[in-house]
């Protein structure tokens, strides 16, 4: 009992959900046996899971095998009696996530084997549900290497669970890496877009102006998955009884079915004029745009435009309150995920998804009627790849792309082919549903997508059923929107102006410091090539350090600058990782890496200085004269 | 005209009916040699040395189809020493294969099955060779082993049967345990107890 209590106390602190699940578990538990050396071992399903002689020695072989691959994180499928986790820790591998697929094993082991020492380590965590494990995997740095490991009895005894574990861990880590890549490729555009959008933002109420405006009103979010074809026509009946939000890609297909959505949500960094009709329908709908969406999107003529601010952009987090927004939607990388969180902020219930297939359809990736005229999708299961050829509405030639093939569980529980971005969204939906459940939320989450992936934590049904059960009353949507917008908070233009002016000033200082560092490091490089490492080098390095201190202090006033430099920061990070892995690569390489990093910084400062100048000019038009002239307010 | 040489000396040989087989030739020669405690060790036919010729189908062929036979002999003692060398080599290799197989089983390496087959083959060869040596030693009154090797045969066979059962049932943990904690110690015991000297 003491062992169980020690384990339980620790689990309660580290993973309360698991501790509760164990408390509630009333099924059978494996019997723990003593191996010949006294260590614990057990059988499950008639199979020995660890050595009956020395589980410790067995764990040592497995540890040697794992250590040879030098992973940053080890993801163990199966806890066993904990000897392997301990051996890994003893060998210096202290980042270990353990997923135990069997409550029968877990309850038996935790009742008899004291694992409190092992499990108390900071980076060791135990899970019995895959969703929580995957959630943790999503937090791991995409640069880190992960090694999934299972002993043979676990692979054989829990083959289905092992396959799912592998697929989902692989999906999660792939999306981590892809998200980093997307981030690297997009940050600079996002920041540039935001400053350009400042001119339009005064006319776009923050989306949280509508906070709580639709309490208890159903929201239907339409994605543009192939299955939307099956039930989009039913949305005509939903009009006026639910808030209908379309992902930008689903807008035109919905129009083809006679449905004008109440909102269309978009956040693309590039302009997407082809998604609009430039007719009556556009003027009946409202756009919900990300603050970093392409400025072209803010110029579309629609009934009304709302803006939302992203939580993962420092600049947005600091500026949003000045625009009167205190809401940052949780997003999983797609506008549909953002819309889902926005719906909850509106107070909507139930939240209903349609067209959210998250996988390849039989003939393409999207519902007909949008921007893809024809698609040819080829899935190569053996190579694990998907190639797509498609005629896009604005392109003269066929567009070609290819992706790694990933798999999700389908509505009929059989695997459906998917790709990294859909898998990311899928994980987000499942994590979101799990988080709501943990919070005790009563909001009903319904996936009425009639095809594609199963989303754990949601009720799966047809749209016809949703209409019948949940859409009974007329809702004065236009009135509710107008009323809420009329009460919207006023933007602090003076504060915004001062903030942007402060950032522009610090950009200038940053550039000066970066250029000074570049000059010092260039001189050091020349001296090193002529004289090798010499006594003067230390003095020069000291000067560089002092200049760096100045630079970092200045950069605190413009935190966005680091985000715009994501690509060079990542390059530097990869260089440092490679250096750490292979030992020193020589001072010349270090000097080269530093030069490159500061040259990028200087270039970014030069590029953004006029961009901020234009933003400042836009704000000056709105800011009260008396305040705009001064610079006494504290910069944000 | 067929010619037969024994240790470099040409034999007067007549295959009157032209129907005798190579096997009959060798048996006749070995019968003659038995009083000298010697055996035929190498067989060369038409200038080519035959490997693994004992039990080979070549032996059933008529002598007359080849023209030249060279037979090399060795004393019983030489044969025994070679046999002891061979069995110790088998034991060393099998021990190494056991270690590799145990590791492969524990880390789930796919080549474990192939290495386990080598372990089985190794034990079969060890038992067969020791048995042949023991019989030869008895027949020719040579004290080849420090103790009766037959005492190890049953435990080895029992261990191999258990190993087969575990392997067929996909129980890699038990298979690794049997190899490491039953068969390997047994092999080490045989190595330590059976031989008067080590090759």
């Amino acid at each position: 009992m003491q062992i169980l209590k020690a384990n339980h106390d620790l689990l309660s602190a580290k993973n309360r959900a698991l501790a509760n699940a164990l408390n509630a578990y009333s099924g059978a538990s494996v019997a723990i046996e003593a191996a010949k050396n006294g260590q614990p071992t057990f059988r499950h399903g008639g199979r020995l899971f660890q050595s009956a002689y020395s589980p410790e020695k067995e764990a040592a072989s497995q540890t040697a095998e794992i250590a040879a691959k030098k992973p940053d994180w080890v993801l163990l499928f199966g806890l066993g009696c904990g000897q392997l986790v301990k051996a890994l820790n003893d060998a210096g591998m202290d980042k270990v996530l353990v997923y135990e697929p069997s409550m029968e094993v877990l309850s038996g082991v935790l009742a008899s084997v004291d694992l409190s020492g092992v499990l108390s380590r900071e980076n060791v965590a135990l899970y019995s549900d895959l969703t929580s494990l995957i959630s943790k995997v999503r937090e791991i740095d995409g640069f880190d290497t992960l090694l999934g490991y299972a002993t043979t009895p676990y692979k054989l005894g829990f083959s289905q669970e092992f396959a799912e574990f592998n697929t989902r861990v692989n999906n999660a880590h792939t999306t981590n890496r892809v998200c980093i890549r997307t981030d690297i490729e997009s940050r600079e555009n996002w920041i540039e877009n935001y400053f350009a959008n400042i001119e339009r933002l005064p006319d776009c109420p923050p989306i949280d102006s509508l906070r709580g405006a639709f309490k208890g009103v159903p929201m239907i979010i339409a994605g543009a998955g192939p299955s939307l074809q099956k039930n989009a026509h039913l949305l005509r009946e939903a009009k006026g009884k639910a808030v209908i939000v379309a992902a930008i890609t689903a807008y035109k297909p919905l129009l083809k079915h006679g449905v004008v959505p109440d909102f269309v949500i978009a956040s693309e960094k590039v302009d997407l004029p082809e998604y609009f009709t430039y007719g009556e329908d556009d003027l009946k709908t409202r756009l919900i745009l990300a603050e970093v969406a392409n400025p072209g999107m803010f110029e579309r003529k629609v009934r009304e435009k709302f803006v939302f601010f992203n939580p993962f952009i420092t600049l947005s987090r600091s500026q949003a309150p000045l625009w009167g927004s205190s809401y940052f939607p949780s997003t999983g990388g797609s506008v549909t995920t953002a819309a889902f969180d926005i719906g909850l902020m509106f107070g909507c219930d139930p939240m209903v998804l349609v067209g959210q297939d998250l996988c390849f359809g039989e003939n393409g990736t999207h519902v007909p009627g949008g921007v893809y005229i024809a698609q040819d999708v080829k899935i190569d299961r053996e190579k694990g790849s998907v190639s797509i050829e498609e005629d896009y509405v604005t392109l003269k030639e066929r567009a070609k792309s290819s992706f790694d093939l990933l798999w999700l569980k389908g509505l009929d529980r059989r695997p459906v082919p998917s790709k990294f971005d859909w898998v990311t969204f899928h994980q987000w939906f499942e994590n979101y549903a799990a988080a709501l459940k943990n919070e005790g939320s009563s909001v009903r989450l319904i996936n009425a997508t009639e095809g594609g992936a199963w989303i754990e934590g949601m009720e799966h049904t047809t749209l016809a059923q949703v209409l019948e059960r949940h859409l009974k009353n007329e809702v004065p949507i236009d009135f509710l929107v107008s009323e809420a917008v009329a009460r919207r908070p006023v933007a602090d233009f003076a504060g915004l102006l001062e903030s942007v002016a402060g950032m522009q000033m610090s950009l200038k200082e940053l550039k000066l410091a970066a250029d000074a560092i570049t000059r010092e490091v260039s001189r050091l490089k020349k001296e090193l090539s002529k004289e090798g490492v010499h006594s003067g080098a230390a003095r020069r390095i000291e000067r560089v350090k002092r200049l760096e201190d100045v630079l970092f202090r200045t950069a605190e006033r413009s935190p966005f600058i680091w985000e715009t430099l994501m690509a060079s920061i990542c390059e530097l990070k990869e260089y440092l990782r490679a250096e750490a892995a292979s030992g020193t690569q020589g001072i010349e390489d270090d000097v080269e890496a530093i030069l490159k990093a500061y040259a990028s910084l200087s270039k970014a400062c030069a590029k953004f200085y006029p961009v901020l100048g234009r933003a400042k000019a836009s704000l000056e038009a709105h800011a009260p004269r008396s305040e705009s002239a001064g610079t006494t307010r504290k910069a944000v | 005209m067929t010619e037969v040489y024994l240790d470099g000396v040409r034999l007067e040989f007549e295959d009157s009916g032209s129907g005798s087989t190579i096997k009959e030739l060798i048996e006749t020669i070995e019968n003659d040699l038995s009083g000298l405690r010697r055996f035929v060790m190498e067989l060369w036919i038409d200038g080519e040395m035959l490997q693994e010729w004992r039990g080979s189908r070549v032996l059933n062929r008529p002598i007359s189809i080849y023209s030249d036979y060279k037979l090399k002999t060795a004393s019983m003692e030489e044969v025994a020493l070679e046999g002891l060398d061979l069995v110790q080599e088998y034991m060393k290799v099998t021990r190494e294969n056991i270690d590799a197989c145990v590791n492969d089983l524990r880390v789930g390496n796919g080549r474990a099955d192939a290495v386990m087959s080598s372990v089985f083959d190794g034990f079969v060869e060890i038992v067969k060779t020791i048995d042949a040596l023991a019989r030869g030693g008895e027949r020719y009154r040579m004290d080849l082993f420090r103790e009766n090797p037959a005492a190890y045969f049953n435990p080895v066979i029992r261990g191999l049967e258990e190993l087969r059962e575990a392997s067929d049932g996909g129980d890699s943990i038990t298979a690794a345990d049997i190899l490491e904690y039953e068969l390997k110690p047994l092999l080490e015991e045989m190595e330590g107890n059976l031989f008067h000297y080590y090759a």
Side-chain angles (χ1 to χ4, degrees):
Chain A
M1 281 306 279
Q2 265 189 334
I3 290 174
L4 181 62
K5 189 176 179 311
N7 288 331
H8 190 271
D9 287 350
L10 191 89
L11 274 182
S12 297
K14 287 191 84 170
N15 186 346
R16 178 163 286 280
L18 176 55
N20 292 342
L22 277 163
N23 267 346
Y25 180 71
S26 57
S29 301
V30 290
I32 302 300
E33 304 166 17
K36 295 252 162 69
N37 72 344
Q39 287 264 313
T41 184
F42 67 90
R43 284 170 199 279
H44 182 266
R47 184 180 281 125
L48 193 60
F49 267 55
Q50 298 191 155
S51 172
Y53 285 81
S54 173
E56 222 167 15
K57 194 172 174 192
E58 184 179 57
S61 316
Q62 291 155 353
T63 298
E65 166 90 355
I66 293 169
K69 291 173 181 158
K70 296 183 180 168
D72 293 312
W73 289 83
V74 180
L75 272 70
L76 283 184
F77 178 84
L79 171 67
C81 287
Q83 288 95 343
L84 182 53
V85 189
K86 186 177 181 305
L88 287 168
N89 278 188
D90 292 346
M93 283 172 282
D94 56 356
K95 292 176 179 173
V96 185
L97 305 181
V98 188
Y99 170 67
E100 174 52 59
S102 163
M103 282 301 272
E104 192 179 340
V105 172
L106 197 57
S107 62
V109 169
L110 293 179
S112 309
V113 185
D114 185 356
L115 294 176
S116 54
V118 172
L119 295 177
S120 64
R121 306 265 178 118
E122 191 188 346
N123 284 318
V124 174
L126 176 61
Y127 300 90
S128 70
D129 74 298
L130 212 42
T131 303
S132 303
L133 170 79
I134 296 306
S135 185
K136 174 67 188 172
V137 172
R138 289 303 312 276
E139 290 171 15
I140 293 175
D141 189 336
F143 284 101
D144 283 357
T145 52
L146 266 58
L147 177 73
Y149 191 87
T151 58
T152 308
Y154 269 104
K155 282 185 203 164
L156 295 174
F158 301 98
S159 55
Q160 274 193 335
E161 291 86 344
F162 181 59
E164 196 182 355
F165 168 87
N166 264 341
T167 305
R168 292 189 61 183
V169 167
N170 182 39
N171 287 354
H173 199 48
T174 301
T175 52
N176 278 358
R177 290 198 303 267
V178 169
C179 287
I180 288 178
R181 210 159 56 223
T182 309
D183 227 292
I184 291 170
E185 289 164 3
S186 306
R187 285 266 163 178
E188 201 167 331
N189 292 121
W190 287 336
I191 302 291
E192 220 172 338
N193 286 349
Y194 170 74
F195 285 119
N197 291 337
I198 279 182
E199 186 186 357
R200 301 277 180 182
L201 290 184
D203 303 324
C204 307
I207 192 65
D208 46 333
S209 305
L210 305 180
R211 188 191 294 271
F214 298 102
K215 279 208 172 81
V217 176
M219 176 181 275
I220 301 174
I221 300 169
S227 74
L228 186 63
Q229 180 81 347
K230 294 181 190 170
N231 54 13
H233 60 285
L234 294 175
L235 290 176
R236 281 198 300 267
E237 292 175 41
K239 187 75 184 162
K241 293 178 182 171
V243 178
I244 301 175
V245 181
I248 182 93
T249 44
Y251 174 47
K252 276 189 173 174
L254 286 189
L255 294 181
K256 288 218 161 48
H257 286 92
V259 181
V260 181
D262 300 302
F263 295 91
V264 174
I265 181 165
S267 71
E268 280 73 7
K269 66 179 186 229
V270 292
D271 197 9
L272 300 170
E274 64 274 24
Y275 283 85
F276 294 85
T277 65
Y278 302 92
E280 285 288 304
D281 290 329
D282 285 1
L283 299 174
K284 290 179 193 164
T285 194
R286 302 167 183 87
L287 269 177
I288 302 174
L289 294 169
E291 83 289 29
V292 293
N294 188 279
M297 300 296 277
F298 281 85
E299 285 169 16
R300 298 286 107 78
K301 288 193 167 41
V302 292
R303 177 170 182 163
E304 213 165 1
K305 291 182 206 103
F306 292 85
V307 68
F308 68 90
F309 293 85
N310 279 292
F312 55 86
I313 300 174
T314 317
L315 179 64
S316 301
R317 282 203 307 275
S318 63
Q319 299 263 294
L322 299 170
W323 290 107
S325 178
S326 59
Y327 166 75
F328 302 95
S330 163
T331 76
S334 71
V335 286
T336 320
T337 55
F340 206 78
D341 192 67
I342 287 170
L344 269 101
M345 183 264 291
F346 283 178
C348 293
D349 181 19
M351 293 294 303
V352 184
L353 291 176
V354 292
Q356 199 60 37
D357 298 46
L358 303 169
C359 71
F360 291 97
E362 281 176 20
N363 303 311
T365 57
H366 287 73
V367 63
V371 290
Y372 300 101
I373 300 163
Q375 286 189 310
D376 184 12
V377 177
K378 287 197 176 76
I379 293 175
D380 188 332
R381 287 166 188 257
E382 278 186 17
K383 286 186 187 160
S385 62
V386 186
S387 58
I388 304 173
E389 285 189 21
E390 57 203 5
D391 292 318
Y392 191 82
V393 70
T394 56
L395 296 179
K396 283 181 186 163
E397 289 182 11
R398 288 210 113 188
K400 292 179 184 175
S401 53
S402 62
F403 306 91
D404 286 342
L405 182 62
L406 298 174
W407 295 92
L408 292 172
K409 186 165 70 182
L411 287 179
D412 58 1
R413 305 298 176 111
R414 282 187 298 198
V416 288
S418 188
K419 60 189 179 84
F420 66 87
D421 45 357
W422 295 333
V423 166
T424 315
F425 313 152
H426 180 263
Q427 281 168 6
W428 183 91
F429 279 121
E430 290 199 340
N431 291 345
Y432 196 89
L436 281 182
K437 191 179 168 195
N438 283 345
E439 285 169 14
S441 163
S442 60
V443 177
R444 291 154 297 181
L445 310 180
I446 300 172
N447 185 11
T449 304
E450 293 172 34
W454 175 272
I455 302 175
E456 200 65 49
M458 288 198 182
E459 180 192 338
H460 290 76
T461 186
T462 61
L463 185 56
Q465 287 284 330
V466 171
L467 296 180
E468 193 184 318
R469 285 190 213 148
H470 302 290
L471 273 64
K472 302 199 188 295
N473 305 318
E474 294 288 331
V475 182
I477 291 171
D478 295 344
F479 170 75
L480 292 174
V481 171
S482 313
E483 204 185 36
V485 168
R487 293 196 307 266
R488 64 176 283 203
V490 182
D492 177 1
F493 289 107
L496 282 162
L497 178 60
E498 196 162 353
S499 160
V500 172
M503 283 190 272
Q504 196 192 22
M505 185 58 72
S506 66
L507 271 190
K508 199 173 177 180
E509 290 168 23
L510 262 177
K511 186 175 184 322
L512 287 173
D515 290 343
I517 293 172
T518 309
R519 277 196 301 277
E520 281 296 325
V521 177
S522 298
R523 282 182 202 130
L524 179 64
K525 189 183 167 187
K526 266 189 204 159
E527 286 163 7
L528 284 173
S529 65
K530 278 186 191 165
E531 307 162 36
V533 179
H534 58 96
S535 57
R539 281 197 301 278
R540 212 171 274 293
I541 289 167
E542 266 311 306
R543 273 203 292 278
V544 169
K545 277 186 183 167
R546 280 200 300 276
L547 283 165
E548 278 184 329
D549 285 344
V550 172
L551 183 142
F552 287 123
R553 274 202 306 277
T554 313
E556 279 170 21
R557 298 207 300 275
S558 297
F560 80 91
I561 198 70
W562 297 126
E563 291 173 345
T564 64
L565 290 169
M566 191 63 114
S568 18
I569 287 168
C570 289
E571 211 173 294
L572 192 61
K573 196 171 173 181
E574 272 177 349
Y575 167 79
L576 293 172
R577 273 181 73 91
E579 191 181 38
S582 64
T584 180
Q585 290 186 345
I587 194 163
E588 288 85 359
D589 289 344
D590 291 350
V591 164
E592 201 54 54
I594 294 166
L595 263 181
K596 208 171 165 187
Y598 285 108
S600 298
L601 177 60
S602 173
K603 202 172 154 192
C605 292
K607 176 182 171 179
F608 277 96
Y609 189 81
V611 171
L612 265 73
R614 286 192 291 276
K616 212 169 76 177
S618 301
L619 288 166
E620 273 164 352
H622 290 87
R625 271 187 189 283
S626 57
E627 289 187 58
S628 67
T631 50
T632 50
R633 291 174 65 102
K634 198 179 171 192
V636 175
Chain B
M1 169 87 182
T2 303
E3 289 183 344
V4 178
Y5 293 85
L6 185 66
D7 291 332
V9 178
R10 186 178 167 190
L11 296 182
E12 289 303 319
F13 171 79
E14 191 182 342
D15 183 15
S16 51
S18 300
S20 303
T21 62
I22 301 169
K23 188 178 176 184
E24 285 165 348
L25 168 70
I26 290 169
E27 277 173 1
T28 307
I29 291 171
E30 284 197 323
N31 269 340
D32 290 348
L33 289 171
S34 65
L36 301 169
R37 293 167 66 94
R38 294 189 78 79
F39 284 96
V40 174
M41 283 294 282
E42 284 180 22
L43 172 61
W44 295 66
I45 298 178
D46 287 348
E48 196 177 325
M49 191 175 91
L50 265 68
Q51 305 285 351
E52 310 279 330
W53 55 272
R54 283 191 191 272
S56 156
R57 267 188 268 176
V58 176
L59 298 186
N60 296 327
R61 292 178 188 166
I63 299 168
S64 54
I65 63 171
Y66 300 108
S67 57
D68 180 64
Y69 293 86
K70 287 191 176 69
L71 289 82
K72 291 186 181 170
T73 69
S75 70
M76 180 61 209
E77 286 75 16
E78 284 170 328
V79 172
L81 280 176
E82 197 161 308
L84 288 168
D85 267 3
L86 187 66
V87 82
Q88 286 181 46
E89 184 61 22
Y90 275 142
M91 285 176 159
K92 180 175 163 272
V93 171
T94 304
R95 202 164 10 90
E96 287 167 1
N97 281 340
I98 287 177
D99 288 342
C101 189
V102 166
N103 195 57
D104 287 346
L105 285 167
R106 287 191 176 144
V107 302
N109 193 322
R111 72 179 171 206
D113 283 349
V115 186
M116 198 186 291
S117 289
S118 307
V119 171
F120 272 104
D121 292 347
F123 271 110
V124 168
E125 289 305 320
I126 289 164
V127 169
K128 263 170 58 183
T129 314
I130 289 179
D131 188 45
L133 283 168
R135 284 170 201 276
E138 205 177 322
R139 189 171 162 198
Y140 291 97
R141 297 172 190 277
M142 287 188 294
D143 180 20
L144 296 180
F145 298 107
R146 276 165 48 193
E147 57 182 60
N148 180 10
Y152 290 97
F153 293 170
N154 275 341
V156 166
I157 291 164
R158 211 167 35 241
L160 289 177
E161 277 170 359
E162 284 174 10
L163 181 61
R164 172 79 66 205
E165 202 178 314
S167 172
D168 288 350
D171 190 346
S172 60
I173 303 290
T174 302
D177 276 354
I178 291 168
L179 281 166
E180 180 162 24
Y181 299 107
E182 293 177 24
L183 287 169
K184 190 178 167 189
L186 196 57
L187 194 60
E188 286 167 346
E189 207 179 316
M190 287 166 82
E191 282 183 289
N193 295 346
L194 286 182
F195 304 107
H196 291 290
Y197 69 95
Y198 294 96

